[in-house]
Amino acid sequence: MLTHLSIQQFAVVSGAELAFGPGMTVVSGETGAGKSLLVDALSLLSGQRADSSVVRHGAARAELHGEFDLHDAPAAAEWLSAQELDNPDAPGTCLLRRVIHADGGSRAWINGRPATLAQLSSLAALLVEIHGQHDQQALLSRPSQLALVDAFGRTGPELAEVGQAARRWSALLDERQALLERGDVSERIEWLQHQYDELEAEDLAADSIARLLADHTRQAHAGDLAAACQAALAELTDRDGAALSDGIHQVRSMLHKVSDHEPRLGEVASMLDAAAIQLDEAAGLLERIGSDLELDPERLRELEERLSRVHELARKHRVSPDALHEQQASLAAELEALRGADERLRVLDQEIESARTVWREAAEVLGRKRRKAASELSRAASALIGELGMEGGRFEVQVEEQEGDRPDPQGTERVEFLVAANPGQPARPLRKVASGGELSRVSLAIEVAAQGLDSVPTMVFDEVDSGIGGAVADIVGRRLRALAGNRQVLCVTHLAQVAAQGHGHYRVSKAARDGITRSQVQQLDDAQRAEELARMVGGAELTEEALAAAKRLLADVDA
């Protein structure tokens, strides 16, 4: 709900502060006084583009401030929280500010933080709905029309079910597309399987590769190794064939006999014992190695062939030989995934068809409820159009079926509001209705018929009573007041019958000073309000008859 509006240096208004409460607030004034400037100010706070012509002559800039209470605007509060633009100093409120410079620049703020016009427009659409100007009429938007039909028909649960089914169907389609973008899965599987089979034919475990390299090296140098072993064994024996360890044992025995006289010789004897043992073990190992080193050309050829295959695979896969095992594991994993993808594609086709069926069934339920709501809204709004001075006119909600290749969370219906202002005329889209007054009254009829079911808490009607008078004007006023029972209503009017229905009243007047026209906005008390209604009834001259008529209008409202 709008609670405060500040206007500074805007058009012919040098400064105005307006406070608003719940219910219906009317704005009146002489023709040309600038009473619609309040609507213009709200339009600019709602993100409408502006130029320097709105800045009062001689001023550097125009400033507009709007303060809103968000207790009746949960959608706006949620938007602010999501955008991190909520007001920490005053939770539950929202401050909009717009500055238009005389040089053509413009800036906007939401709760003191700089904001783009797109952000301002998105937020204001959840706060204010302006009726009467084509470019500010929310009901001219087809998405808004569909939302109003859904609100009127209370299709929330059905719409949620369609949205959930659409998201499920869409997710499956996206998954299938991602799998298809991999290319021909069967060809990829065949190629990978060939690569895997080549690796599988070899033992590529790390320890196996290490043994292969060691066996090849040993077999390739078997002759040299055997000769070295024989030479070493020869060195470990004397000319008579006795082992060096025998001589070491003789030295140890000689030292042992005199070790009683020198204890340190016992340590030497122990060392010689160990050396003799090591020499015997070394000689034994040399003999075993020598016997194992059998020069086998056929074995060498086999090892070289296998080693060649391993190096060829390593070059082919661009990895080192010891990394071939990991490459094989990687190929196996991809093969498994692709085989799973191939199977997944077959399953996906079934799941997609099932999801499409679920969505269509949910959409059909939603569509039936929407068509019923459209018919009821058409009848109710058509009856109200006649009451509001468009006798014989009719309102229609045209429901169009459309279904694309992709799931739509909004269902298969799109609606268009049509209106025929006079009998015998074909109904045309509401957005093409030429008369601003007629458009405002049609909008009022729709809103009253829907009982303000859309979530926007503040509705502004500009010259909704244009071209009517008498009993029709009284009906328009009463309908606006009824609408104000569950929405805040601001109405710019020139008819006393409408103005009398307001819970609050502002008058806009103009005066020339020093050759410059200025407008002034004044909130009226009961006595001033009666005088203003009398002016609206009888013209510029305030007569007793006009004042009496104004008081009767006010009394009828109170009654």
Side-chain angles (χ1 to χ4, degrees), residues 263-278:
R264 287 179 295 177
L265 292 177
E267 294 181 18
V268 174
S270 297
M271 292 178 184
L272 290 173
D273 276 341
I277 294 172
Q278 291 290 327

Side-chain angles (χ1 to χ4, degrees), residues 407-544:
D408 192 329
Q410 294 296 316
T412 62
E413 293 78 29
R414 294 297 179 268
V415 302
E416 176 87 61
F417 286 180
L418 308 178
V419 65
N422 299 295
Q425 290 183 342
R428 295 190 303 143
L430 181 63
R431 52 191 165 83
K432 295 183 179 180
V433 173
S435 167
E438 288 179 348
L439 177 61
S440 293
R441 272 174 277 154
V442 170
S443 301
L444 174 60
I446 295 170
E447 292 292 350
V448 172
Q451 287 296 305
L453 284 172
D454 52 0
S455 59
V456 180
T458 299
M459 297 180 180
V460 181
F461 292 90
D462 185 14
E463 301 288 355
V464 68
D465 48 17
S466 177
I468 62 172
V472 174
D474 182 64
I475 293 173
V476 169
R478 292 182 185 278
R479 289 299 185 183
L480 284 168
R481 188 178 178 92
L483 183 61
N486 54 17
R487 287 291 185 271
Q488 183 187 42
V489 173
L490 308 181
C491 178
V492 177
T493 181
H494 66 282
L495 292 180
Q497 295 95 324
V498 174
Q501 297 292 331
H503 299 91
H505 195 150
Y506 280 96
R507 178 177 62 202
V508 181
S509 57
K510 65 178 181 178
R513 183 186 307 168
D514 300 329
I516 300 176
T517 300
R518 292 181 172 84
S519 290
Q520 181 180 7
V521 183
Q522 179 184 9
Q523 187 172 17
L524 304 181
D525 58 24
D526 291 344
Q528 293 168 329
R529 189 176 180 193
E531 292 179 0
E532 174 64 8
L533 292 180
R535 182 198 63 76
M536 297 172 75
V537 170
E541 184 177 352
L542 185 62
T543 64
E544 290 295 332

Side-chain angles (χ1 to χ4, degrees), residues 166-400:
R167 287 188 292 274
R168 169 62 177 163
W169 181 14
S170 182
L172 292 171
L173 289 175
D174 290 343
E175 182 182 353
R176 186 176 188 275
Q177 183 62 31
L179 289 176
L180 290 175
E181 287 176 355
R182 294 183 177 183
D184 190 333
V185 176
S186 61
E187 291 184 1
R188 176 69 175 172
I189 289 176
E190 183 179 352
W191 183 82
L192 287 173
Q193 186 64 55
H194 175 71
Q195 300 290 309
Y196 179 82
D197 289 343
E198 283 187 332
L199 296 175
E200 180 69 12
E202 300 292 336
D203 185 357
L204 299 175
D207 57 347
S208 177
I209 295 295
R211 285 195 305 271
L212 172 62
L213 292 172
D215 288 349
H216 177 267
T217 300
R218 184 168 55 251
Q219 189 61 231
H221 299 85
D224 294 338
L225 290 170
C229 288
Q230 289 298 325
L233 279 172
E235 291 296 327
L236 291 177
T237 59
D238 58 18
R239 294 179 180 177
D240 297 328
L244 290 178
S245 59
D246 294 341
I248 293 174
H249 284 301
Q250 292 177 1
V251 174
R252 176 189 176 281
S253 297
M254 181 179 62
L255 293 176
H256 182 70
K257 294 176 181 179
V258 295
S259 61
D260 291 340
H261 307 297
E262 175 53 64
R264 287 179 295 177
L265 292 177
E267 294 181 18
V268 174
S270 297
M271 292 178 184
L272 290 173
D273 276 341
I277 294 172
Q278 291 290 327
L279 283 172
D280 288 340
E281 290 181 353
L285 183 57
L286 280 171
E287 289 180 355
R288 289 194 299 274
I289 292 174
S291 64
D292 291 341
L293 290 172
E294 181 181 355
L295 185 60
D296 186 349
E298 182 63 23
R299 173 61 175 164
L300 177 60
R301 184 184 64 79
E302 291 177 358
L303 290 172
E304 286 180 343
E305 287 179 354
R306 185 185 172 199
L307 189 60
S308 178
R309 290 195 300 271
V310 169
H311 282 294
E312 178 63 27
L313 289 172
R315 285 192 299 270
K316 185 175 183 178
H317 291 276
R318 298 181 180 180
V319 296
S320 61
D322 56 356
L324 282 171
H325 185 66
E326 294 180 3
Q327 177 69 7
Q328 183 182 3
S330 177
L331 290 174
E334 187 175 356
L335 271 170
E336 183 179 357
L338 286 178
R339 289 194 183 99
D342 196 33
E343 176 62 26
R344 180 59 180 156
L345 276 174
R346 289 192 291 270
V347 174
L348 269 176
D349 288 337
Q350 299 173 358
E351 291 183 353
I352 287 172
E353 186 57 35
S354 176
R356 181 188 289 112
T357 300
V358 170
W359 178 84
R360 283 177 174 169
E361 291 175 351
E364 287 175 3
V365 174
L366 173 63
R368 287 194 294 270
K369 199 166 184 179
R370 276 175 169 168
R371 285 187 288 273
K372 180 181 178 182
S375 178
E376 293 176 354
L377 180 59
S378 297
R379 287 195 299 271
S382 292
L384 286 165
I385 285 175
E387 292 184 22
L388 298 177
M390 298 172 64
E391 188 174 355
R394 70 183 188 280
F395 172 79
E396 298 177 7
V397 180
Q398 182 184 69
V399 181
E400 302 172 351

